Amino acid sequence: MAEPKIVKIPQHVAIIMDGNGRWAKARGLPRIMGHREGMKSVRAVVECARKLGIKVLTLYAFSKENWQRPREEVSFLMGLLEEYLRREVEELHQKNIQIRAIGELELLPRNIQALLKESIKKTAANTGMILNLALSYSGRAEIARAARLLAEACLRGDLKPEEITEDLFRHYLYTNDLPDPDLLIRTSGEMRLSNFLLYQCAYTELYITPTLWPDFREDEFLKALEEYQRRERRFGKISEQLN
Ligand code: IPE
Ligand code: IPE
Ligand code: MG
């Protein structure tokens, strides 16, 4: 395959990794086999993003709503996450990757909370790519939480309501200092956000591919980036106003 030229690298790419269950079903396998195969795509995409110099990669790995799935599937996903953190963090650390996590992490099993904390601490000073894991994440819950934190600051007298601006508000989100995603990729063809980064995606470019997550590897990722660089981001202006 001819190497596509990626000249306009997005700073922040967010991915809704969807379609593991369907990938397995199409092969007559149990859903969990799709999740296992999907881990290989995680490895491939993380490595490709790092090599390209993407600053932030946010992966939607588990939504708050996903807690409602059958208990065995949830346990399997938690097991995979544990395995990933145990096996891969050392290598991510060697590669100067900084690990972060967003979502209601307190709902995760204790051992995973501990592993996550350890991984985040270990990699905190790394200056390469930020690998941001969305776990037990809900965009609406994140926005409601920000409102609650702001209300508490006002009640304490630390803040006046008229001081609440868009810029202040964004710092109360889990993503705090991270730039908004430039590109949001969703695999498996579903045309929805499924409660992902609702505030942050105001002007994010959307790329939806029918490819299922376990089949989404480096070549598919490069295809998404190629498409991204052909987009004109106008942010409400007209073409002629852009330089
Ligand atoms: C995405 O694949 C992984 C998670 C949501 C954890 P799915 O498990 O949603 O796969 P489909 O959408 O059922 O095919
Ligand atoms: C979104 O996928 C969540 C993740 C990929 C982690 P879902 O499969 O849960 O989304 P819906 O239910 O199809 O909207
Ligand atoms: Mg799905």
Side-chain angles (χ1 to χ4, degrees), residues 69-101:
R69 291 193 177 192
R71 201 160 35 110
E72 308 75 56
E73 183 168 343
V74 171
S75 324
F76 186 84
L77 286 165
M78 292 302 139
L80 264 190
L81 178 59
E82 180 179 352
E83 197 181 303
Y84 183 74
L85 293 172
R86 283 196 195 284
R87 287 202 191 153
E88 316 262 332
V89 169
E90 187 50 46
E91 191 182 331
L92 296 172
H93 182 50
Q94 296 306 326
K95 291 182 167 164
N96 199 23
I97 292 174
Q98 189 189 125
I99 297 171
R100 295 203 199 179

Side-chain angles (χ1 to χ4, degrees), residues 9 13 28 30 74 93 106 112 137 152-153 161 168 175 192 203:
I9 301 285
V13 178
V74 171
H93 182 50
E106 62 282 2
I112 294 190
Y137 175 86
E152 283 165 4
L168 185 74
T175 43
R192 53 177 174 264
Y203 269 103

Side-chain angles (χ1 to χ4, degrees), residues 18 22 45 48 74 79 105 114 130 146 152 154 159 173 214 218 234:
D18 198 14
R22 277 163 282 171
V45 168
C48 185
V74 171
L105 307 178
I130 294 173
E152 283 165 4
C154 287
L159 189 69
L173 297 167
E218 181 167 331
R234 290 190 290 278

